[in-house]
Amino acid sequence: MILVAALALILSMALVLARALRGPTRYDRILAANILGTKTALLIAVYGFLDGRPDFLDIALAYALINFTGVVAVLKYASLRRSGRRDGPGEA
Amino acid sequence: MLETLAGALLGIGILFTWAGAIGLLRFPDFHTRLHAAGVTETLGMGAIVAGLMLHAGLGQAALKLLLLGLFLFVTAPIASHALAAAARHGGLRPRAEEAGPSPKR
C-alpha cells in the first residue's frame, strides 16, 4: 500500500508539472512549484517508510521548511519587473 | 486492523491529492486553481500523514510525522494567501470580476 501511495504521488506530481509548464501566468507556475514542493516532502517521507529508514522524515521536514520559505521569497520577487517597477500578470 | 485503517487513510489521501492535481489542470482561472490546489493538498497531505502515523505506531517516527503534518497544515494556507495577494498586487483579476468589480471595503 505504501508503494501504491508513492507511485500515486509521483503520478500526481506529473500532472502538476503539466500545469507548471503550461500555466499562462507566472503565478500559475509559482503555485505549481509550491504544490510540487509539498508533494516532494510527502514523497520523501513515504519513501523513508518504503526503505525502512526513519531518518528520511527529518529530510522531509527540512524540505517542507525550505519549500515554504522559497515560495514566499519568490512571490516577493515575482511582481517586479527587471527595472524594479511592478508589472502586469502576463507572460512568463 | 490498524494496518487496514492506515491503508484506508493512505487511499483517501491519494484520492484527494489526485483530485487536487486534476483540478489544477482543469480549472479555468488562476484563483480557482489556487483554491483547488490549496484545499485538496492540505486535506490529502493530512490523510497521508495520518496513514503513515498509524503505520509507524507509537514512537519517534510518529512524532516527526505529526510535526511535518502540523507544519504543512499551518503553512499551506499562508502560502495560498501570499499567492492570492501577490496576484492581486500584480494586477491579475479573478474571472468573476468580469461581471463587475468587487465592492470596495
Side-chain angles (χ1 to χ4, degrees), chain B:
Chain B
M1 167 60 193
L2 215 55
E3 286 298 320
T4 45
L5 190 55
L9 274 172
L10 277 175
I12 291 175
I14 292 170
L15 281 177
F16 274 111
T17 306
W18 270 358
I22 294 175
L24 196 57
L25 272 181
R26 297 263 311 166
F27 275 28
D29 181 34
F30 166 70
H31 293 271
T32 49
R33 282 179 213 137
L34 177 61
H35 187 72
V39 171
T40 57
E41 183 63 33
T42 308
L43 207 49
M45 176 276 307
I48 291 179
V49 163
L52 286 179
M53 271 173 67
L54 281 182
H55 182 80
L58 281 179
Q60 200 184 29
L63 183 62
K64 286 181 188 169
L65 274 171
L66 182 65
L67 282 175
L68 178 65
L70 278 180
F71 179 77
L72 286 175
F73 196 78
V74 168
T75 61
I78 297 176
S80 293
H81 179 83
L83 268 163
R88 193 69 177 180
H89 274 296
L92 186 57
R93 294 263 174 265
R95 236 186 182 202
E97 280 198 349
E98 281 167 18
S102 316
K104 290 218 181 283
R105 292 240 210 135

Coordinates of all heavy atoms in Angstrom, one line a residue, chain B:
Chain B
M1 N -5.7 -4.8 11.8 CA -6.7 -3.9 11.9 C -6.2 -2.4 11.7 O -6.7 -1.6 11.0 CB -7.4 -4.0 13.3 CG -8.3 -2.9 13.7 SD -9.7 -2.7 12.6 CE -10.3 -1.1 13.0
L2 N -5.1 -2.2 12.5 CA -4.5 -0.8 12.3 C -3.9 -0.7 10.9 O -4.0 0.4 10.4 CB -3.4 -0.7 13.4 CG -3.3 0.7 14.0 CD1 -4.6 1.2 14.5 CD2 -2.3 0.7 15.1
E3 N -3.5 -1.8 10.4 CA -2.9 -1.7 9.0 C -3.9 -1.4 8.0 O -3.7 -0.6 7.1 CB -2.2 -3.0 8.7 CG -0.9 -3.3 9.4 CD 0.1 -2.2 9.1 OE1 0.2 -1.8 7.9 OE2 0.8 -1.7 10.0
T4 N -5.1 -2.0 8.1 CA -6.2 -1.6 7.1 C -6.6 -0.2 7.3 O -6.9 0.5 6.3 CB -7.4 -2.6 7.3 OG1 -7.7 -2.7 8.7 CG2 -7.1 -3.9 6.7
L5 N -6.7 0.3 8.5 CA -7.1 1.7 8.7 C -6.0 2.6 8.1 O -6.3 3.6 7.5 CB -7.2 2.0 10.2 CG -7.9 3.3 10.5 CD1 -9.2 3.5 9.8 CD2 -8.1 3.4 12.0
A6 N -4.7 2.3 8.3 CA -3.7 3.1 7.7 C -3.7 3.0 6.2 O -3.6 4.1 5.5 CB -2.3 2.6 8.2
G7 N -4.0 1.9 5.7 CA -4.2 1.7 4.2 C -5.3 2.5 3.7 O -5.2 3.2 2.6
A8 N -6.5 2.5 4.4 CA -7.6 3.3 4.0 C -7.3 4.8 4.0 O -7.7 5.5 3.1 CB -8.8 3.0 4.9
L9 N -6.6 5.3 5.1 CA -6.3 6.7 5.1 C -5.3 7.1 4.0 O -5.5 8.1 3.4 CB -5.6 7.0 6.5 CG -6.6 7.3 7.6 CD1 -5.9 7.4 8.9 CD2 -7.3 8.6 7.3
L10 N -4.4 6.2 3.7 CA -3.5 6.5 2.6 C -4.3 6.5 1.3 O -4.0 7.4 0.4 CB -2.4 5.4 2.5 CG -1.2 5.5 3.4 CD1 -0.3 4.3 3.2 CD2 -0.4 6.8 3.0
G11 N -5.3 5.6 1.1 CA -6.1 5.7 -0.1 C -6.9 7.0 -0.2 O -6.9 7.6 -1.3
I12 N -7.5 7.4 0.9 CA -8.2 8.7 0.9 C -7.3 9.8 0.5 O -7.6 10.7 -0.2 CB -8.9 8.9 2.3 CG1 -10.0 7.9 2.5 CG2 -9.4 10.3 2.4 CD1 -10.6 7.9 3.8
G13 N -6.1 9.8 1.1 CA -5.1 10.9 0.8 C -4.7 10.9 -0.6 O -4.6 12.0 -1.2
I14 N -4.5 9.7 -1.2 CA -4.2 9.6 -2.6 C -5.4 10.2 -3.5 O -5.1 11.0 -4.4 CB -3.9 8.2 -3.1 CG1 -2.7 7.7 -2.4 CG2 -3.8 8.1 -4.5 CD1 -2.5 6.2 -2.6
L15 N -6.6 9.9 -3.1 CA -7.7 10.4 -3.9 C -7.8 11.9 -3.9 O -8.0 12.5 -4.9 CB -9.0 9.8 -3.3 CG -9.3 8.4 -3.8 CD1 -10.6 7.8 -3.1 CD2 -9.5 8.3 -5.3
F16 N -7.6 12.5 -2.7 CA -7.7 13.9 -2.6 C -6.5 14.6 -3.3 O -6.7 15.6 -3.9 CB -7.7 14.3 -1.1 CG -9.0 14.4 -0.5 CD1 -9.4 13.5 0.5 CD2 -10.0 15.3 -0.9 CE1 -10.7 13.5 1.1 CE2 -11.2 15.3 -0.3 CZ -11.6 14.4 0.7
T17 N -5.4 14.0 -3.2 CA -4.2 14.5 -3.9 C -4.4 14.5 -5.4 O -4.2 15.5 -6.1 CB -2.9 13.7 -3.6 OG1 -2.8 13.7 -2.2 CG2 -1.7 14.4 -4.2
W18 N -5.0 13.4 -5.9 CA -5.3 13.4 -7.4 C -6.4 14.4 -7.8 O -6.3 15.0 -8.8 CB -5.8 12.0 -7.7 CG -4.7 11.1 -8.1 CD1 -3.4 11.4 -8.2 CD2 -4.8 9.7 -8.4 NE1 -2.7 10.3 -8.6 CE2 -3.5 9.2 -8.7 CE3 -5.9 8.8 -8.5 CZ2 -3.3 7.9 -9.1 CZ3 -5.7 7.5 -8.9 CH2 -4.4 7.1 -9.2
A19 N -7.4 14.5 -6.9 CA -8.4 15.5 -7.2 C -7.9 16.9 -7.3 O -8.2 17.6 -8.2 CB -9.5 15.4 -6.1
G20 N -6.9 17.2 -6.4 CA -6.3 18.5 -6.5 C -5.5 18.7 -7.7 O -5.5 19.7 -8.4
A21 N -4.7 17.6 -8.1 CA -3.9 17.7 -9.3 C -4.7 17.9 -10.6 O -4.4 18.7 -11.4 CB -3.0 16.5 -9.4
I22 N -5.8 17.1 -10.6 CA -6.7 17.2 -11.8 C -7.4 18.6 -11.8 O -7.5 19.2 -12.9 CB -7.7 16.1 -11.8 CG1 -7.0 14.7 -12.0 CG2 -8.7 16.3 -12.9 CD1 -7.9 13.5 -11.9
G23 N -7.8 19.1 -10.7 CA -8.4 20.4 -10.6 C -7.4 21.5 -11.0 O -7.8 22.4 -11.7
L24 N -6.1 21.3 -10.6 CA -5.1 22.2 -11.0 C -5.0 22.3 -12.6 O -4.7 23.4 -13.1 CB -3.8 21.8 -10.4 CG -2.7 22.8 -10.4 CD1 -3.2 24.1 -9.6 CD2 -1.5 22.3 -9.6
L25 N -5.2 21.2 -13.2 CA -5.1 21.2 -14.7 C -6.4 21.7 -15.3 O -6.3 22.4 -16.4 CB -4.9 19.8 -15.2 CG -3.4 19.3 -15.2 CD1 -3.4 17.9 -15.8 CD2 -2.7 20.2 -16.1
R26 N -7.6 21.5 -14.8 CA -8.8 21.7 -15.5 C -9.5 23.0 -15.2 O -10.3 23.5 -16.0 CB -9.8 20.6 -15.2 CG -9.3 19.2 -15.6 CD -9.8 18.8 -16.9 NE -11.3 19.0 -16.9 CZ -12.0 18.9 -18.0 NH1 -11.4 18.8 -19.2 NH2 -13.3 19.1 -18.0
F27 N -9.2 23.7 -14.1 CA -9.9 24.9 -13.7 C -9.5 26.0 -14.6 O -8.4 26.1 -15.1 CB -9.7 25.2 -12.3 CG -10.5 24.5 -11.3 CD1 -11.1 23.2 -11.6 CD2 -10.9 25.0 -10.1 CE1 -11.9 22.6 -10.7 CE2 -11.7 24.4 -9.2 CZ -12.2 23.1 -9.5
P28 N -10.5 27.0 -14.9 CA -10.3 27.9 -15.9 C -9.4 29.1 -15.6 O -8.9 29.9 -16.4 CB -11.7 28.4 -16.2 CG -12.4 28.2 -15.0 CD -11.8 27.0 -14.3
D29 N -9.2 29.4 -14.3 CA -8.6 30.7 -13.9 C -7.6 30.4 -12.8 O -7.7 29.4 -12.1 CB -9.8 31.6 -13.4 CG -9.3 32.9 -13.0 OD1 -8.3 33.4 -13.6 OD2 -9.9 33.5 -12.0
F30 N -6.7 31.4 -12.6 CA -5.7 31.2 -11.5 C -6.3 31.1 -10.2 O -5.9 30.2 -9.4 CB -4.7 32.3 -11.6 CG -3.8 32.4 -10.3 CD1 -2.9 31.4 -10.1 CD2 -4.0 33.4 -9.4 CE1 -2.1 31.4 -9.0 CE2 -3.2 33.4 -8.2 CZ -2.3 32.4 -8.0
H31 N -7.3 31.9 -9.8 CA -7.8 31.9 -8.5 C -8.5 30.7 -8.1 O -8.5 30.2 -7.0 CB -8.7 33.2 -8.3 CG -7.9 34.4 -8.3 ND1 -7.3 35.0 -7.2 CD2 -7.6 35.3 -9.4 CE1 -6.7 36.1 -7.6 NE2 -6.8 36.3 -8.9
T32 N -9.3 30.1 -9.1 CA -10.0 28.9 -8.9 C -8.9 27.7 -8.7 O -9.1 26.8 -7.9 CB -10.9 28.5 -10.0 OG1 -10.2 28.7 -11.3 CG2 -12.1 29.5 -10.0
R33 N -7.9 27.8 -9.5 CA -6.8 26.7 -9.4 C -6.2 26.8 -8.0 O -5.8 25.8 -7.4 CB -5.8 26.9 -10.4 CG -6.2 26.4 -11.8 CD -5.1 26.7 -12.7 NE -5.6 26.9 -14.0 CZ -5.1 27.9 -14.9 NH1 -4.2 28.7 -14.5 NH2 -5.7 28.0 -16.0
L34 N -6.0 28.1 -7.5 CA -5.4 28.3 -6.2 C -6.2 27.6 -5.1 O -5.7 26.9 -4.2 CB -5.2 29.8 -6.0 CG -4.7 30.2 -4.6 CD1 -3.3 29.7 -4.4 CD2 -4.7 31.7 -4.6
H35 N -7.5 27.8 -5.3 CA -8.4 27.3 -4.3 C -8.4 25.7 -4.3 O -8.2 25.1 -3.3 CB -9.8 27.8 -4.5 CG -10.8 27.4 -3.5 ND1 -10.8 27.9 -2.2 CD2 -11.8 26.4 -3.5 CE1 -11.8 27.4 -1.5 NE2 -12.4 26.5 -2.3
A36 N -8.5 25.2 -5.5 CA -8.5 23.7 -5.7 C -7.2 23.1 -5.1 O -7.2 22.2 -4.3 CB -8.6 23.3 -7.1
A37 N -6.1 23.7 -5.5 CA -4.8 23.1 -5.1 C -4.6 23.2 -3.6 O -4.2 22.3 -3.0 CB -3.6 23.8 -5.9
G38 N -4.9 24.4 -3.1 CA -4.6 24.6 -1.6 C -5.4 23.7 -0.7 O -4.9 23.0 0.2
V39 N -6.7 23.7 -1.0 CA -7.6 22.9 -0.1 C -7.4 21.4 -0.2 O -7.2 20.8 0.8 CB -9.1 23.2 -0.5 CG1 -10.0 22.3 0.3 CG2 -9.4 24.7 -0.1
T40 N -7.3 20.9 -1.4 CA -7.2 19.4 -1.6 C -5.8 19.0 -1.2 O -5.6 17.9 -0.7 CB -7.5 19.0 -3.0 OG1 -6.6 19.7 -3.9 CG2 -8.9 19.3 -3.4
E41 N -4.8 19.9 -1.4 CA -3.4 19.5 -1.0 C -3.4 19.3 0.5 O -2.8 18.4 1.0 CB -2.4 20.5 -1.5 CG -1.0 20.2 -1.2 CD -0.5 18.9 -1.8 OE1 -1.0 18.6 -2.9 OE2 0.3 18.2 -1.3
T42 N -3.9 20.3 1.3 CA -3.9 20.2 2.7 C -4.6 19.0 3.2 O -4.1 18.2 4.1 CB -4.6 21.4 3.3 OG1 -4.0 22.6 2.7 CG2 -4.4 21.5 4.8
L43 N -5.8 18.7 2.6 CA -6.5 17.5 3.1 C -5.8 16.2 2.7 O -5.7 15.3 3.6 CB -7.9 17.5 2.4 CG -9.1 16.9 3.1 CD1 -9.1 17.3 4.6 CD2 -10.3 17.3 2.4
G44 N -5.3 16.1 1.5 CA -4.6 14.9 1.1 C -3.4 14.7 1.9 O -3.1 13.6 2.3
M45 N -2.7 15.8 2.1 CA -1.5 15.7 2.9 C -1.8 15.2 4.4 O -1.1 14.3 4.9 CB -0.8 17.0 3.0 CG 0.4 17.1 3.9 SD 0.1 17.4 5.6 CE -0.9 18.9 5.5
G46 N -2.9 15.7 5.0 CA -3.3 15.3 6.3 C -3.6 13.8 6.4 O -3.2 13.1 7.3
A47 N -4.3 13.3 5.3 CA -4.7 11.9 5.3 C -3.5 11.0 5.1 O -3.4 10.0 5.8 CB -5.7 11.7 4.2
I48 N -2.6 11.4 4.2 CA -1.4 10.6 4.0 C -0.5 10.6 5.3 O 0.0 9.5 5.7 CB -0.6 11.1 2.8 CG1 -1.4 10.9 1.5 CG2 0.8 10.5 2.7 CD1 -0.7 11.3 0.3
V49 N -0.3 11.7 5.9 CA 0.5 11.8 7.1 C -0.2 10.9 8.2 O 0.5 10.2 9.0 CB 0.7 13.2 7.5 CG1 1.2 13.3 9.0 CG2 1.7 13.9 6.6
A50 N -1.5 11.0 8.3 CA -2.2 10.2 9.4 C -2.1 8.7 9.1 O -1.9 7.9 10.0 CB -3.7 10.6 9.4
G51 N -2.2 8.3 7.8 CA -2.0 6.9 7.5 C -0.6 6.4 7.8 O -0.4 5.4 8.4
L52 N 0.4 7.3 7.5 CA 1.8 6.9 7.8 C 2.0 6.8 9.3 O 2.7 6.0 9.8 CB 2.8 7.9 7.2 CG 3.0 7.7 5.7 CD1 3.9 8.8 5.2 CD2 3.4 6.4 5.3
M53 N 1.3 7.7 10.1 CA 1.5 7.7 11.5 C 0.9 6.4 12.1 O 1.5 5.8 13.0 CB 0.8 8.9 12.1 CG 1.6 10.1 12.2 SD 0.7 11.6 12.8 CE 0.3 11.1 14.4
L54 N -0.2 6.0 11.6 CA -0.8 4.7 12.1 C 0.1 3.5 11.7 O 0.2 2.6 12.5 CB -2.2 4.5 11.5 CG -3.3 5.3 12.1 CD1 -4.6 5.0 11.4 CD2 -3.4 5.0 13.6
H55 N 0.7 3.6 10.5 CA 1.6 2.6 10.1 C 2.8 2.5 11.0 O 3.4 1.4 11.3 CB 2.0 2.8 8.7 CG 2.8 1.7 8.1 ND1 2.3 0.5 7.7 CD2 4.2 1.6 8.0 CE1 3.3 -0.3 7.3 NE2 4.5 0.4 7.4
A56 N 3.3 3.7 11.5 CA 4.5 3.7 12.2 C 4.3 3.3 13.7 O 5.2 2.8 14.3 CB 5.1 5.1 12.2
G57 N 3.1 3.4 14.2 CA 2.9 3.1 15.6 C 3.4 4.2 16.5 O 3.9 5.2 16.1
L58 N 3.3 4.0 17.8 CA 3.8 5.0 18.8 C 5.3 5.0 18.7 O 6.0 4.0 18.8 CB 3.3 4.7 20.2 CG 1.9 5.0 20.5 CD1 1.6 4.6 21.9 CD2 1.7 6.5 20.4
G59 N 5.9 6.3 18.7 CA 7.3 6.3 18.7 C 7.8 7.6 18.1 O 7.0 8.5 17.9
Q60 N 9.1 7.7 17.9 CA 9.7 8.9 17.4 C 9.3 9.3 16.0 O 9.1 10.4 15.6 CB 11.2 8.8 17.4 CG 11.9 10.1 17.4 CD 13.4 9.9 17.4 OE1 13.9 9.0 16.8 NE2 14.1 10.9 18.0
A61 N 9.1 8.2 15.1 CA 8.7 8.5 13.7 C 7.3 9.1 13.7 O 7.1 10.1 12.9 CB 8.7 7.2 13.0
A62 N 6.4 8.7 14.6 CA 5.1 9.3 14.6 C 5.1 10.7 15.0 O 4.4 11.6 14.5 CB 4.2 8.5 15.5
L63 N 6.0 11.0 16.0 CA 6.1 12.4 16.4 C 6.7 13.3 15.3 O 6.2 14.4 15.1 CB 7.1 12.5 17.6 CG 7.2 13.9 18.3 CD1 5.9 14.3 18.7 CD2 8.2 13.8 19.4
K64 N 7.6 12.8 14.5 CA 8.2 13.6 13.4 C 7.1 13.8 12.4 O 7.0 14.9 11.8 CB 9.4 12.9 12.8 CG 10.6 13.1 13.7 CD 11.8 12.4 13.1 CE 12.9 12.4 14.1 NZ 14.0 11.5 13.6
L65 N 6.4 12.8 12.1 CA 5.3 12.9 11.1 C 4.2 13.9 11.6 O 3.7 14.7 10.8 CB 4.6 11.5 10.9 CG 5.3 10.6 9.9 CD1 4.7 9.3 9.9 CD2 5.1 11.2 8.5
L66 N 3.9 13.9 12.9 CA 3.0 14.8 13.4 C 3.5 16.3 13.2 O 2.7 17.1 12.8 CB 2.7 14.5 14.9 CG 1.7 15.4 15.6 CD1 0.3 15.2 14.9 CD2 1.6 15.1 17.0
L67 N 4.8 16.5 13.5 CA 5.4 17.8 13.3 C 5.3 18.2 11.8 O 4.9 19.3 11.5 CB 6.8 17.8 13.7 CG 7.0 17.9 15.2 CD1 8.5 17.8 15.6 CD2 6.5 19.2 15.7
L68 N 5.6 17.3 10.9 CA 5.5 17.6 9.5 C 4.1 17.9 9.1 O 3.9 18.9 8.4 CB 6.0 16.3 8.7 CG 5.9 16.5 7.2 CD1 6.9 17.5 6.7 CD2 6.3 15.1 6.5
G69 N 3.1 17.1 9.5 CA 1.8 17.4 9.2 C 1.3 18.7 9.7 O 0.6 19.5 9.0
L70 N 1.6 19.1 11.0 CA 1.2 20.3 11.6 C 1.8 21.5 10.8 O 1.2 22.5 10.5 CB 1.6 20.4 13.0 CG 0.6 19.7 14.0 CD1 1.1 19.8 15.4 CD2 -0.8 20.3 13.8
F71 N 3.1 21.3 10.5 CA 3.8 22.4 9.8 C 3.1 22.7 8.4 O 2.8 23.8 8.0 CB 5.3 22.1 9.6 CG 6.0 23.2 8.9 CD1 6.3 24.4 9.5 CD2 6.3 23.1 7.5 CE1 7.0 25.4 8.8 CE2 6.9 24.1 6.8 CZ 7.3 25.2 7.5
L72 N 2.9 21.6 7.6 CA 2.3 21.8 6.3 C 0.8 22.3 6.5 O 0.4 23.1 5.7 CB 2.3 20.5 5.6 CG 3.6 20.1 5.0 CD1 3.6 18.7 4.4 CD2 4.1 21.1 4.0
F73 N 0.2 21.9 7.5 CA -1.2 22.3 7.7 C -1.3 23.8 8.0 O -2.2 24.5 7.6 CB -1.8 21.5 8.9 CG -3.3 21.6 9.0 CD1 -4.1 20.8 8.2 CD2 -3.9 22.5 9.9 CE1 -5.4 20.9 8.3 CE2 -5.3 22.5 10.0 CZ -6.0 21.7 9.2
V74 N -0.3 24.3 8.7 CA -0.3 25.8 9.0 C 0.2 26.6 7.8 O -0.3 27.6 7.5 CB 0.6 26.0 10.3 CG1 0.8 27.5 10.4 CG2 -0.1 25.5 11.5
T75 N 1.3 26.1 7.1 CA 1.9 26.9 6.1 C 1.2 26.9 4.8 O 1.4 27.8 4.0 CB 3.4 26.6 5.9 OG1 3.4 25.2 5.5 CG2 4.1 26.8 7.2
A76 N 0.4 25.8 4.5 CA -0.3 25.8 3.2 C -1.3 27.0 3.0 O -1.3 27.6 2.0 CB -0.9 24.5 3.0
P77 N -2.1 27.3 4.0 CA -3.0 28.4 3.9 C -2.2 29.7 3.8 O -2.7 30.7 3.1 CB -3.9 28.4 5.1 CG -3.8 27.0 5.6 CD -2.5 26.5 5.2
I78 N -1.1 29.8 4.5 CA -0.3 31.1 4.4 C 0.2 31.3 3.0 O 0.2 32.4 2.5 CB 0.8 31.0 5.5 CG1 0.3 31.0 6.9 CG2 1.7 32.3 5.3 CD1 1.3 30.8 7.9
A79 N 0.7 30.2 2.4 CA 1.3 30.3 1.1 C 0.2 30.6 0.1 O 0.4 31.4 -0.8 CB 2.0 29.0 0.7
S80 N -1.0 30.0 0.3 CA -2.2 30.3 -0.6 C -2.5 31.8 -0.5 O -2.8 32.5 -1.5 CB -3.4 29.5 -0.2 OG -3.1 28.2 -0.5
H81 N -2.6 32.3 0.7 CA -2.9 33.8 0.9 C -1.8 34.6 0.2 O -2.1 35.6 -0.4 CB -3.0 34.1 2.4 CG -3.3 35.5 2.6 ND1 -4.6 36.0 2.6 CD2 -2.5 36.5 2.9 CE1 -4.6 37.3 2.8 NE2 -3.3 37.7 3.0
A82 N -0.5 34.3 0.4 CA 0.5 35.1 -0.2 C 0.4 35.0 -1.7 O 0.6 36.1 -2.4 CB 1.9 34.5 0.3
L83 N 0.1 33.9 -2.3 CA -0.1 33.8 -3.7 C -1.2 34.7 -4.2 O -1.1 35.4 -5.2 CB -0.4 32.3 -4.1 CG 0.8 31.5 -4.5 CD1 0.5 30.1 -4.4 CD2 1.3 31.9 -5.9
A84 N -2.4 34.6 -3.5 CA -3.5 35.4 -3.9 C -3.2 36.9 -3.8 O -3.6 37.7 -4.7 CB -4.7 35.1 -3.1
A85 N -2.5 37.3 -2.7 CA -2.2 38.7 -2.5 C -1.2 39.2 -3.6 O -1.3 40.3 -4.1 CB -1.6 38.9 -1.1
A86 N -0.2 38.3 -3.9 CA 0.8 38.7 -4.9 C 0.1 38.8 -6.3 O 0.4 39.8 -7.1 CB 1.9 37.7 -5.0
A87 N -0.8 37.9 -6.6 CA -1.5 38.0 -7.9 C -2.4 39.3 -7.9 O -2.5 39.9 -8.9 CB -2.4 36.8 -8.1
R88 N -3.0 39.6 -6.8 CA -3.8 40.9 -6.7 C -3.0 42.1 -7.0 O -3.3 43.0 -7.7 CB -4.5 40.9 -5.4 CG -5.6 41.9 -5.3 CD -6.7 41.5 -6.1 NE -7.8 42.5 -6.0 CZ -9.0 42.3 -6.6 NH1 -9.1 41.3 -7.4 NH2 -9.9 43.2 -6.5
H89 N -1.8 42.1 -6.3 CA -0.9 43.2 -6.5 C -0.4 43.3 -7.9 O -0.1 44.4 -8.4 CB 0.3 43.1 -5.5 CG 0.1 43.7 -4.2 ND1 -0.2 45.0 -4.0 CD2 0.0 43.1 -3.0 CE1 -0.4 45.3 -2.7 NE2 -0.3 44.1 -2.1
G90 N -0.2 42.1 -8.5 CA 0.4 42.1 -9.8 C -0.7 42.5 -10.9 O -0.3 42.6 -12.0
G91 N -1.9 42.6 -10.5 CA -2.9 43.0 -11.4 C -3.8 41.9 -12.0 O -4.6 42.2 -12.9
L92 N -3.6 40.7 -11.5 CA -4.3 39.6 -12.1 C -5.7 39.6 -11.5 O -5.9 39.5 -10.3 CB -3.6 38.2 -11.7 CG -4.2 37.0 -12.3 CD1 -4.2 37.1 -13.8 CD2 -3.4 35.8 -11.9
R93 N -6.7 39.8 -12.3 CA -8.1 39.9 -11.8 C -8.8 38.6 -11.9 O -8.6 37.9 -12.8 CB -8.9 41.0 -12.6 CG -8.4 42.4 -12.5 CD -9.2 43.1 -11.5 NE -8.6 44.4 -11.2 CZ -7.8 44.7 -10.2 NH1 -7.4 43.7 -9.4 NH2 -7.3 45.9 -10.1
P94 N -9.6 38.2 -10.9 CA -10.3 37.0 -11.0 C -11.4 37.1 -12.1 O -11.9 38.2 -12.4 CB -11.0 36.8 -9.6 CG -10.4 37.9 -8.8 CD -9.8 38.9 -9.6
R95 N -11.7 36.0 -12.7 CA -12.6 36.0 -13.8 C -14.0 36.4 -13.4 O -14.7 37.0 -14.1 CB -12.7 34.5 -14.3 CG -12.4 34.4 -15.8 CD -12.7 33.1 -16.1 NE -12.5 32.7 -17.4 CZ -13.1 31.6 -17.9 NH1 -13.9 31.0 -17.2 NH2 -12.9 31.3 -19.2
A96 N -14.3 36.2 -12.1 CA -15.6 36.5 -11.6 C -15.8 38.0 -11.6 O -17.0 38.5 -11.6 CB -15.8 36.0 -10.2
E97 N -14.7 38.8 -11.7 CA -14.9 40.2 -11.7 C -15.2 40.8 -13.1 O -15.4 42.0 -13.2 CB -13.6 40.9 -11.2 CG -13.5 40.9 -9.7 CD -12.5 41.9 -9.2 OE1 -11.7 42.4 -10.0 OE2 -12.4 42.1 -8.0
E98 N -15.3 39.9 -14.1 CA -15.7 40.4 -15.4 C -17.1 40.8 -15.4 O -17.5 41.7 -16.2 CB -15.5 39.3 -16.4 CG -14.0 39.1 -16.9 CD -13.8 37.9 -17.7 OE1 -14.8 37.3 -18.1 OE2 -12.7 37.4 -17.7
A99 N -17.9 40.3 -14.5 CA -19.3 40.8 -14.4 C -19.4 42.1 -13.8 O -20.3 42.8 -14.0 CB -20.1 39.7 -13.6
G100 N -18.4 42.5 -13.0 CA -18.4 43.8 -12.3 C -17.4 43.8 -11.2 O -17.1 42.7 -10.7
P101 N -16.9 44.9 -10.8 CA -15.9 44.9 -9.8 C -16.4 44.6 -8.4 O -17.6 44.7 -8.1 CB -15.4 46.4 -9.8 CG -16.5 47.2 -10.3 CD -17.3 46.3 -11.2
S102 N -15.5 44.1 -7.5 CA -15.9 43.8 -6.2 C -16.2 45.1 -5.4 O -15.5 46.1 -5.7 CB -14.8 43.0 -5.4 OG -14.3 42.0 -6.2
P103 N -17.1 45.0 -4.5 CA -17.3 46.3 -3.7 C -16.1 46.6 -2.9 O -15.4 45.7 -2.3 CB -18.5 45.9 -2.7 CG -18.5 44.4 -2.7 CD -17.9 43.9 -4.0
K104 N -15.8 47.9 -2.9 CA -14.6 48.3 -2.1 C -14.9 48.2 -0.6 O -16.0 48.5 -0.2 CB -14.3 49.8 -2.5 CG -13.8 50.0 -3.9 CD -12.6 51.0 -3.9 CE -12.1 51.2 -5.3 NZ -11.3 50.1 -5.6
R105 N -13.8 47.9 0.1 CA -14.0 47.7 1.6 C -14.0 49.1 2.2 O -13.1 49.8 2.0 CB -12.9 46.8 2.1 CG -13.0 45.5 1.7 CD -13.1 44.6 2.8 NE -12.5 43.3 2.5 CZ -11.7 42.6 3.3 NH1 -11.5 43.1 4.5 NH2 -11.2 41.5 2.9

